[in-house]
Amino acid sequence: MDAATERSRRTGPRELSVGVTPRYRLMWGLIRAVVRLLFDVRASGLEHWPKPPFQLVANHHNGWDPMLVISVVPVQPRITWFGPREADFSRGFKNRAMAFFGGVIPYNPEKTTLTSAVRAVRRVFEAVGVLGIFAEGRIGFRETELLEFEEGAAAFAVTSGVPVVPCAIVGSTDLWFRKRVEVRFGPPIWTDAVRGREARAALDARIRPGLASLLPDREPRLPRRRPLAFLTDLLNGADDIARRRTGG
């Protein structure tokens, strides 16, 4: 391993921008225009947002999910997403676009130290920004259910003492042109008094029902006519597409 790679593992990606830069404003505007052209996206619960910094904990149905959220929120505070596991951001259109615009903290256990990830997250909160995390760690295919959360979904919020806002994306499992998708935000869960492993586990246990309460009561019925249905898997990875087809 060369010195530059080792330094990157220790300190995190130096190019990561966490401020509301002109490049981010351009990204926000483009995403807002494209997503709102393709889908009927609606938001509820934005009044629950506390003053930043804070952390969003969201469910995950589709590769479109980060953009669906960005399309309904203000340009400021900036949302930085944690956890894409792509190892190489120099390949593929989606990866290259994320690398150009920023707004992600990639984390690969084999290539990134936890210390560097924590430092990158700390920069987000120090910039009075918002950290977004998909707590399930992978895409689920049922609108009414949550997969098991990855351990420590709220760990960064606890460490920094920032509140957690549950975020439910409803309707993105199957997408087509002008499909209605709702982004629902729940009341914040405060973390500034939480200390210790048991207290963190108790906080994780509070976040899950807070998010589950925002989900629909029944699975949607798919209409027979779904124009541009290829949008469903346009931004999903090959593994997720295979899991969908096998019902995994």
Side-chain angles (χ1 to χ4, degrees), residues 20-38 66-67 69-76 78 101:
V20 183
T21 62
R23 183 177 290 187
Y24 180 76
R25 289 182 181 274
L26 173 62
M27 179 190 73
W28 178 85
L30 288 174
I31 288 175
R32 192 177 180 91
V34 171
V35 171
R36 291 193 167 203
L37 172 66
L38 292 175
M67 290 182 283
V69 174
I70 289 174
S71 74
V72 297
V73 302
V75 68
Q76 196 167 358
R78 175 174 179 160
F101 286 112

Side-chain angles (χ1 to χ4, degrees), residues 6-25:
E6 176 60 25
R7 184 170 60 251
S8 177
R9 291 183 76 247
R10 293 196 309 268
T11 62
R14 292 182 179 271
E15 71 279 8
L16 175 67
S17 177
V18 294
V20 183
T21 62
R23 183 177 290 187
Y24 180 76
R25 289 182 181 274

Side-chain angles (χ1 to χ4, degrees), residues 173-200:
T173 300
D174 294 280
L175 291 172
W176 55 86
F177 183 62
R178 302 309 298 164
K179 167 74 179 295
R180 177 179 291 187
V181 180
E182 296 182 39
V183 182
R184 304 172 179 175
F185 300 99
I189 300 170
W190 303 97
T191 67
D192 50 358
V194 174
R195 295 292 183 272
R197 180 177 297 179
E198 292 183 3
R200 288 196 297 270

